[in-house]
Amino acid sequence: MNAILLGAPGVGKGTQAQLLTERDGFVQLSTGDILRTEIANGSELGLSAKGFMDRGELVPDSVILNIVSLRLDKNKSFLFDGFPRTVPQADGLSNLLTSRGMKLDYVISLELPVEAIVERLSARRVALKSGRVYNLLFNPPKVEGICDISGESLIQRSDDKPEAILVRLNEYNMKTEPLKKYYEQRIGVASVNADGDMETVYRRVKAALT
Ligand code: AP5
Ligand code: MG
């Protein structure tokens, strides 16, 4: 099954993708996580993406489609988290799937008021290697500053500062929000209320995936 988790920055895409991966065998494909790993490794791709990401802007479509194309050959089904984010990316995904005899089954759009988004992002901490996401207010690690699973130090993402959060929200509204209409006209979109604790949202997402 191939599904897309759409939604504004901080709405909980990564958190839900993590739960669906651990509990239901989904394979998460997060372009944001892949780019952050490339930056941490100091690769050429990472260096080319870093400026865009730090400012909160989208990375060019061609870069993203290359990354996804390479990953698609490694599995048969995916949970796309943070991809696609523009109409050209959505068209690109459609071509990539068709050429592999794959198709998209679900598009889930997580919905949350902007005040809650800003609150969640400001208190987020992440483990870079494992990609695990925590929140100082809503989902703290057992030991302060340390990932429960990998033991690595938690960091605050460089794009979780107020200026970059505003740019990301604006990029979302201008370039990604239109994808809801795009997919409504093609396979349909299930809107899921992301206001609620993680387990409540998880149950709603699961229900939308059947
Ligand atoms: P990306 O990594 O995709 O970031 P994003 O879309 O801005 O989304 P976030 O990861 O910030 O939020 P999320 O929805 O995953 O929320 P999370 O689960 O962490 O992209 C980063 C950058 O990379 C982009 O700005 C761009 O530059 C580039 N990029 C990536 N993909 C790209 C693409 N396809 N095209 C172009 N550029 C691309 O949750 C947020 C916080 O809330 C956490 O602390 C979490 O613990 C907490 N939380 C989650 N759920 C709940 C809940 N139910 N209740 C309380 N707290 C909760
Ligand atoms: Mg994320």
Side-chain angles (χ1 to χ4, degrees):
M1 181 206 292
N2 291 297
I4 293 175
L5 283 180
L6 271 182
V11 80
K13 303 179 297 294
T15 300
Q16 293 304 322
Q18 194 174 292
L19 293 175
L20 290 159
T21 298
E22 288 168 2
R23 299 175 182 178
D24 304 293
F26 279 89
V27 177
Q28 177 188 15
L29 197 163
S30 160
T31 41
D33 285 352
I34 294 168
L35 291 168
R36 279 183 288 278
T37 303
E38 294 288 338
I39 291 173
N41 293 340
S43 72
E44 207 172 301
L45 170 62
L47 286 177
S48 72
K50 188 172 184 324
F52 293 103
M53 292 176 73
D54 284 348
R55 289 190 297 274
E57 294 165 10
L58 293 184
V59 172
D61 292 332
S62 56
V63 174
I64 299 293
L65 285 166
N66 276 334
I67 293 176
V68 173
S69 170
L70 293 172
R71 297 282 164 142
L72 284 189
D73 294 327
K74 296 190 175 158
N75 234 299
K76 274 277 157 236
S77 74
F78 292 92
L79 181 60
F80 296 101
D81 158 13
F83 170 85
R85 277 191 139 85
T86 63
V87 169
Q89 288 184 24
D91 286 338
L93 175 63
S94 168
N95 293 335
L96 289 171
L97 290 175
T98 305
S99 65
R100 288 165 175 79
M102 296 159 72
K103 71 175 180 53
L104 203 52
D105 301 291
Y106 294 97
V107 178
I108 310 270
S109 177
L110 295 175
E111 307 288 343
L112 187 69
V114 71
E115 305 76 40
I117 286 178
V118 173
E119 182 180 45
R120 285 185 185 182
L121 286 178
S122 307
R124 174 165 60 185
R125 296 293 181 273
V126 297
L128 263 190
K129 280 203 190 107
S130 66
R132 261 191 120 69
V133 184
Y134 297 86
N135 193 286
L136 299 182
L137 301 173
F138 305 112
N139 178 30
K142 292 192 182 99
V143 178
E144 195 185 324
I146 303 291
C147 176
D148 296 347
I149 307 294
S150 65
E152 67 192 290
S153 296
L154 301 180
I155 58 145
Q156 180 163 33
R157 270 173 46 177
S158 54
D159 57 353
D160 280 346
K161 13 182 213 316
E163 323 80 86
I165 291 175
L166 285 183
V167 176
R168 285 158 63 202
L169 287 169
N170 193 44
E171 288 278 81
Y172 174 78
N173 290 332
M174 306 271 291
K175 298 174 185 167
T176 310
E177 240 254 338
L179 288 185
K180 284 194 224 165
K181 193 161 268 168
Y182 177 100
Y183 283 118
E184 267 159 21
Q185 289 163 350
R186 287 165 175 82
I187 65 167
V189 175
S191 282
V192 169
N193 177 5
D195 203 356
D197 62 36
M198 291 169 205
E199 292 299 332
T200 305
V201 178
Y202 168 76
R203 282 195 294 276
R204 292 177 188 147
V205 172
K206 274 281 283 183
L209 282 170
T210 50

